[in-house]
Amino acid sequence: MAQFRSSRFSSLVFAALAFALFSLFCGRVDAASRGETNSWNEIRDLASDVAVSPTLWGTVENKCELFIKKYAQSDYVPDVLAVEAKAMFKQQKWDAVIAKFSNGPTNAVKVADKLAYWTARSYFEKNNYRAAAENFARLGREHPSSTLRLESIYRECECYAKLDEWQRVIEELRESNGAFQQLAKANANDQWVVSGLLLLGEAELARKDPKDIAEARKTLSGIAPQPTRPELEWERQFLLCRAELESNAVKEALRATTNLLAAATGNVEWRAKSVILKGEIYERVGQIADAAQTYQANLNGDLPASTRQQALIRMVELTLRQDKTDEAAQQLEDYLAKYPGEKGSDFEWLMLGELTLKKDFLAPQTGPAVSPAGKGTNLLQQAEEYFQKVKGFTNSPYLGKAELDLGWCYTKDGKMPESLGAFSNALEHLPFSEDQAVARFKLADTLFLQGNFAAAMTNYSEIINRYSLLPGVKNELFEQTLYQLVRACLNQSNSPEAEVAATNAMREILAWFPEKMLADRSLLLYGQSQNPSEARKVFSDLAARYPKSSLLPEVKLAVARTYEKERNWPNA
């Protein structure tokens, strides 16, 4: 009996001890689980609040890092990694997202689709649309049941749109047996289905093919109105209007702008784009005055400067098409008086200067052409002031053009040193272009007028050598250049180099311009021309200076043609 009691007592003690140890272990496990769960809940709740407070994304990222360090084996780690990827993306740490999540951490398999999603979004924000498309496609391919599948298809096609691969967009979104159309059947009113159909319509319009345009009208007409999604409803109306316009149903397109402008109510950006489209429709039907008046609605001060400037330029262009130069200049003056130092208005100052300079050149030359509106200065001085305004914009892309125009002003005003400096500056700032060739020509002309014939000869020669691939320069400027080159050479006595250059230049004149003989006007040079008597003097000087030239027969023929131009038949 004693032995039995002793054995029973030992069993009871052992059981009590085992229960105590088990309870202690379970308490520790429960405590750890509660800590992990509480930390995860805090991260999850905080991540849902940052939609209101974007600055908290940094805090979310830090808490994710601390969680992973503290609970490396937790079942919550994959979800924490997905939140961390989102937090890093929201802070524009796109390179870091790509570096950390593009290959998918091995401990985050269950959220691999989300990591691929944020990686793809990061590539998109970095404008690497090809890599973004590949990652969105990988998401759909490797995770066909993902809740992100439909959005990833849309975003993949959005990348192709950015790359102007419209046919690829159409293939992905139009194919009846494709993933998008199959998902769309079951989710007709889903945001990404509607967005995808709108993108499909845009792609079909972008193709400009009549069949695709017809398909676009069909696609867009099949999208239900989106009253609860204002941005999608405005885009639907915008594309429907474009589809009518591209189908040459201009009257229908014009009527459709009523719904378009109504859908844009309350959003200045949408309204501005709607106004531009309506103006384009008026232009298409030739209602120029109505188009200009429509664009005027985009001059409102609540719009971005770039939008206002775009509207102003369209208005000015339409006014000039109606040969209303003074009115166009007034439009520019009124705008620039209201926004004198506005960023990006350097182009408007340049336009105003060129219109003013044009009016000065066209004015009767009975004295200085006076500026309108009682400014107390003549047109030439006013143009100079406008071009100087352009120079006040740091790193303006129009600086070279403004310097070129200033050179014209100084030349007409008889300020040779100033014009030499302006044309030199223009040559430095202008890219390789027709304008640069004109700047070099005018620089050479100015050097010629100052008696620096060697430098003039060098610059005239540079025009022939550098700009032969520009048709505008070759057709409009080469004849004048060769003529001036001959003149510069003839003014250099005892120069074998000048003699060779003059002979070559004359040979090219006779070969390239046998009929024109320097008599045509050059619009590129504001009407500067060489008349037959001046050309005859050059030919005669050439014959007198180089009596043994092999070109003499052709030169004499050229002289005869100058008389022919004057209808002086006996001398011809």
Side-chain angles (χ1 to χ4, degrees):
M1 178 66 70
Q3 185 178 2
F4 170 76
R5 289 176 178 173
S6 174
S7 174
R8 184 182 178 190
F9 176 78
S10 298
S11 298
L12 290 172
V13 170
F14 178 78
L17 181 60
F19 178 78
L21 290 173
F22 177 76
S23 298
L24 179 62
F25 174 77
C26 289
R28 288 178 178 176
V29 170
D30 288 342
S33 296
R34 283 197 297 274
E36 292 173 19
T37 301
N38 290 340
S39 295
W40 160 242
N41 288 338
E42 181 185 8
I43 290 171
R44 183 190 59 197
D45 294 343
L46 192 58
S48 65
D49 290 339
V50 292
V52 181
S53 305
T55 55
L56 293 179
W57 282 118
T59 303
V60 173
E61 182 188 0
N62 291 334
K63 288 186 177 295
C64 288
E65 283 293 312
L66 290 173
F67 183 97
I68 293 168
K69 288 180 181 178
K70 189 173 182 179
Y71 306 113
Q73 303 304 318
S74 171
D75 290 340
Y76 291 122
V77 165
D79 296 309
V80 171
L81 285 171
V83 173
E84 183 182 20
K86 181 179 180 178
M88 292 167 67
F89 175 86
K90 293 292 186 178
Q91 296 174 82
Q92 300 184 7
K93 296 182 178 181
W94 301 315
D95 287 323
V97 172
I98 293 168
K100 187 169 185 176
F101 300 109
S102 59
N103 292 324
T106 55
N107 59 342
V109 175
K110 78 171 190 176
V111 295
D113 59 333
K114 295 179 181 179
L115 300 182
Y117 173 84
W118 292 115
T119 299
R121 290 283 304 273
S122 296
Y123 275 121
F124 186 91
E125 293 298 330
K126 284 171 58 65
N127 299 328
N128 188 343
Y129 302 121
R130 185 69 63 195
E134 291 171 357
N135 278 272
F136 282 124
R138 179 167 62 88
L139 189 160
R141 186 171 57 251
E142 296 179 2
H143 310 282
S145 61
S146 170
T147 57
L148 295 169
R149 178 78 187 283
L150 198 48
E151 181 184 352
S152 70
I153 295 173
Y154 167 78
R155 291 193 180 277
E156 178 189 355
C157 292
E158 186 182 26
C159 294
Y160 297 139
K162 291 288 186 180
L163 295 167
D164 287 331
E165 296 181 6
W166 296 109
Q167 184 58 38
R168 187 76 179 271
V169 175
I170 293 172
E171 290 171 357
E172 291 284 339
L173 298 178
R174 187 197 284 175
E175 175 57 47
S176 58
N177 294 322
F180 176 78
Q181 288 291 343
Q182 292 298 314
L183 289 168
K185 290 177 182 178
N187 305 275
N189 200 40
D190 185 276
Q191 171 189 352
W192 300 111
V193 171
V194 176
S195 295
L197 291 173
L198 290 170
L199 183 58
L200 173 58
E202 182 181 0
E204 290 166 336
L205 289 175
R207 291 273 296 163
K208 300 292 185 183
D209 183 272
K211 291 182 180 179
D212 282 322
I213 291 172
E215 286 292 330
R217 295 180 79 182
K218 180 180 176 182
T219 298
L220 296 167
S221 298
I223 302 173
Q226 301 290 309
T228 62
R229 297 166 179 156
E231 71 286 354
L232 295 182
E233 177 59 15
W234 175 81
E235 187 178 356
R236 186 180 77 91
Q237 294 289 354
F238 184 82
L239 290 173
L240 278 169
C241 194
R242 274 189 57 199
E244 298 289 5
L245 181 61
E246 295 300 331
S247 301
N248 291 320
V250 183
K251 291 182 180 179
E252 290 80 356
L254 198 56
R255 282 197 294 268
T257 59
T258 301
N259 291 334
L260 175 62
L261 288 165
T265 302
N267 187 299
V268 293
E269 181 183 355
W270 300 347
R271 183 167 182 83
K273 290 181 178 179
S274 303
V275 165
I276 291 171
L277 183 55
K278 186 174 182 179
E280 289 175 349
I281 295 170
Y282 275 128
E283 286 191 59
R284 182 76 67 89
V285 295
Q287 296 178 225
I288 303 302
D290 289 329
Q293 186 177 1
T294 300
Y295 292 134
Q296 192 168 6
N298 276 358
L299 297 183
N300 293 334
D302 60 345
L303 291 170
S306 59
T307 302
R308 292 198 306 269
Q309 290 163 9
Q310 180 189 16
L312 175 66
I313 298 306
R314 299 290 282 271
M315 288 171 56
V316 170
E317 289 174 346
L318 292 175
T319 305
L320 290 173
R321 280 171 58 182
Q322 300 173 75
D323 294 325
K324 298 178 180 179
T325 304
D326 289 342
E327 185 178 331
Q330 191 62 53
Q331 289 170 340
L332 287 164
E333 286 185 10
D334 291 344
Y335 183 87
L336 291 168
K338 190 174 182 180
Y339 307 104
E342 183 175 73
K343 182 179 179 181
S345 62
D346 45 349
F347 181 69
E348 282 75 20
W349 285 112
L350 180 69
M351 280 188 72
L352 181 56
E354 292 190 340
L355 286 178
T356 307
L357 181 59
K358 179 182 178 181
K359 287 195 291 183
D360 180 78
F361 268 93
L362 295 176
Q365 298 303 305
T366 57
V370 179
S371 174
K375 291 186 170 61
T377 56
N378 63 49
L379 287 170
L380 198 59
Q381 292 171 334
Q382 195 68 56
E384 289 179 19
E385 291 182 19
Y386 295 146
F387 296 134
Q388 291 291 353
K389 292 276 190 182
V390 179
K391 294 175 64 175
F393 287 82
T394 305
N395 299 323
S396 170
Y398 307 108
L399 177 59
K401 194 69 168 65
E403 291 282 9
L404 175 58
D405 291 331
L406 273 171
W408 283 107
C409 291
Y410 293 142
T411 299
K412 196 170 188 298
D413 211 15
K415 301 175 181 178
M416 287 300 106
E418 289 86 349
S419 65
L420 186 66
F423 289 132
S424 297
N425 291 336
L427 195 60
E428 177 183 349
H429 291 289
L430 285 167
F432 180 79
S433 60
E434 293 183 10
D435 282 335
Q436 189 187 66
V438 172
R440 189 176 291 279
F441 180 87
K442 293 307 300 176
L443 175 63
D445 269 359
T446 307
L447 290 167
F448 182 93
L449 291 172
Q450 292 182 332
N452 191 344
F453 301 116
M457 182 184 80
T458 298
N459 279 281
Y460 289 132
S461 298
E462 283 289 290
I463 294 171
I464 303 301
N465 294 333
R466 288 190 180 191
Y467 303 99
S468 61
L469 295 179
L470 298 179
V473 176
K474 191 168 185 178
N475 295 333
E476 301 291 341
L477 196 57
F478 267 28
E479 184 186 14
Q480 298 281 351
T481 300
L482 290 167
Y483 173 85
Q484 290 294 93
L485 177 56
V486 172
R487 291 183 65 198
C489 293
L490 293 176
N491 276 280
Q492 298 179 69
S493 301
N494 303 318
S495 171
E497 181 184 359
E499 180 178 349
V500 171
T503 302
N504 290 338
M506 185 55 66
R507 179 179 288 112
E508 288 171 336
I509 288 176
L510 296 170
W512 295 349
F513 309 102
E515 300 300 326
K516 295 176 73 172
M517 287 304 155
L518 303 159
D520 288 352
R521 289 181 175 273
S522 171
L523 295 177
L524 192 60
L525 299 175
Y526 292 90
Q528 186 185 65
S529 65
Q530 308 298 338
N531 60 46
S533 63
E534 291 173 336
R536 190 158 52 245
K537 182 177 182 301
V538 172
F539 293 141
S540 299
D541 287 348
L542 182 72
R545 188 176 293 275
Y546 310 123
K548 296 181 180 181
S549 171
S550 60
L551 292 176
L552 279 181
E554 294 173 79
V555 170
K556 289 180 178 180
L557 177 59
V559 170
R561 283 177 173 163
T562 64
Y563 285 120
E564 182 183 9
K565 290 276 187 181
E566 297 173 327
R567 298 184 177 276
N568 186 340
W569 307 116
N571 283 333

